Amino acid sequence: MTAPGAVSASGIELRHLRAFAAVARCRSFTRAAEELLITQPALSRTVAQLEAGLGVRLLERSSRGVALTDTGAGFLVHAERTLSAFESALAAARHESTLRLGFSWLLPDPWAQRAIARFERETGAQVELVRCDDPLDDLDRQGVDVALVRGDRLVGGAVRTVHLYDERRVAVRAREEAEGGGRAASRGLPPEAVGGAVRWQDAREWTLVVNTASGTTGSWCWPHGDGPRRYVQTANFDEWLESVAAGRGLGIVPDVAERRIHHPALRFLPLTGAPPSPVRLAYRPEAKTGSALLRRFLDAALEAAATCTYAGEA
């Protein structure tokens, strides 16, 4: 097996390992080249040099894509450990062994505690929690390295996401309105919400309070225009909370809020027929934080998510 610029085993460099690991992870030379910000021919040459230097075939290439050989699967484990150790050594030398996690409100439990503890235990790095109104905006400005995103709104093309799990939605309204009964209709609150469950299919009757920066429920949930007749827009979670408490409309929120928000002016109600609200991590492949460190956090996050059937339940 030969390749242009072939190297011996002693000449294998970190760039060869990074190239191979990216192709193995993406299962595609095209996507891996985009992630590494190099051309596909250059990536193909680098992987071919690695295979030639080792004298083995690591990848099976076909019209359907790329797959690891048995030898490649075993080598990938060692390659990723090597890359991770190298990135950790650099981070420690530069005092940069910190990963910044951006979130807008109420990190989901017990996922956050498990993911952070696992990551810090296994890497020796620390997670810095960064509260921001719009985590995706902070990610774009490189204020955070990874962002917790709730809901199913689209993200920018340069941002990638990893789905963790889904949260259940509940309804919330002003307690005074709920107890007053007769005033509900005047504020666009469905009568069945008074003392009972709210039905997703009755959305056209709602006046819905929306957190436009980081909310999970808004006009985007009804792409065919069959959603609430009126929206009250707010710019962040605190404004959303107080607008609902003031009786300006109905709020829809993941059920983590019902467990952890104790507001005397709010009453939470069951919500039937609503789609689940996805929880995702968003990141930029070219982020300056060591890519291996970021991948280790994503791995810890997915492992923690696997222990949660939904937010708040182990």
Side-chain angles (χ1 to χ4, degrees):
M1 183 184 303
T2 61
V7 297
S8 64
S10 61
I12 293 174
E13 302 173 357
L14 288 172
R15 64 186 179 90
H16 294 104
L17 302 185
R18 288 195 183 98
F20 164 67
V23 175
R25 185 171 59 255
C26 296
R27 295 293 194 269
S28 164
F29 277 90
T30 300
R31 291 195 295 272
E34 292 174 352
E35 179 176 305
L36 296 173
L37 301 179
I38 62 176
T39 66
Q40 183 174 334
L43 176 60
S44 297
R45 285 195 300 271
T46 302
V47 173
Q49 289 169 1
L50 174 63
E51 291 179 316
L54 294 173
V56 297
R57 183 171 294 281
L58 302 173
L59 300 168
E60 291 290 352
R61 303 152 174 86
S62 71
S63 59
R64 296 188 300 275
V66 180
L68 287 165
T69 64
D70 290 342
T71 301
F75 183 73
L76 177 63
V77 174
H78 297 288
E80 289 188 327
R81 286 176 181 170
T82 299
L83 291 170
S84 178
F86 177 72
E87 295 286 355
S88 296
L90 288 181
R94 296 171 180 168
H95 304 288
E96 292 179 353
S97 53
T98 298
L99 184 136
R100 299 164 299 171
L101 172 61
F103 70 102
S104 58
W105 56 275
L106 295 184
L107 281 171
D109 61 88
W111 168 82
Q113 295 75 25
R114 294 175 182 175
I116 292 171
R118 178 186 292 269
F119 171 76
E120 294 185 341
R121 181 176 63 251
E122 294 181 350
T123 65
Q126 290 187 330
V127 174
E128 177 184 349
L129 300 178
V130 182
R131 217 292 304 170
C132 38
D133 289 339
D134 187 344
L136 286 174
D137 181 59
D138 275 47
L139 182 68
D140 186 58
R141 293 187 291 102
Q142 299 184 2
V144 298
D145 304 305
V146 60
L148 183 88
V149 180
R150 282 183 164 103
D152 49 10
R153 281 190 290 182
L154 296 177
V155 300
V159 174
R160 298 191 179 177
T161 62
V162 173
H163 179 264
L164 298 176
Y165 54 83
D166 295 329
E167 293 177 305
R168 294 180 298 189
R169 287 181 165 101
V170 296
V172 58
R173 58 177 301 172
R175 181 174 295 277
E176 183 176 325
E177 292 285 352
E179 295 173 351
R183 294 191 299 274
S186 67
R187 294 293 184 92
L189 299 173
E192 64 270 20
V194 181
V198 176
R199 300 185 303 177
W200 183 265
Q201 59 265 39
D202 294 327
R204 289 194 64 83
E205 301 178 20
W206 304 347
T207 294
L208 184 65
V209 183
V210 179
N211 171 0
T212 59
S214 59
T216 60
T217 308
S219 59
W220 57 88
C221 293
W222 294 272
H224 302 297
D226 52 348
R229 62 183 180 182
R230 180 171 177 266
Y231 295 94
V232 175
Q233 295 188 345
T234 63
N236 55 54
F237 180 74
D238 289 332
E239 290 181 10
W240 173 88
L241 191 72
E242 296 305 332
S243 293
V244 175
R248 294 175 180 166
L250 189 74
I252 304 296
V253 68
D255 62 351
V256 63
E258 183 176 10
R259 297 194 312 275
R260 293 172 55 187
I261 293 177
H262 303 284
H263 193 303
L266 292 177
R267 178 177 180 182
F268 290 89
L269 298 166
L271 177 62
T272 63
S277 177
V279 180
R280 298 172 290 168
L281 287 177
Y283 66 98
R284 301 180 68 90
E286 74 278 14
K288 64 182 181 179
T289 294
S291 57
L293 196 65
L294 178 58
R295 285 199 299 273
R296 293 288 292 276
F297 181 76
L298 296 178
D299 289 343
L302 288 169
E303 290 172 2
T307 69
C308 305
T309 56
Y310 60 86
E313 183 174 289

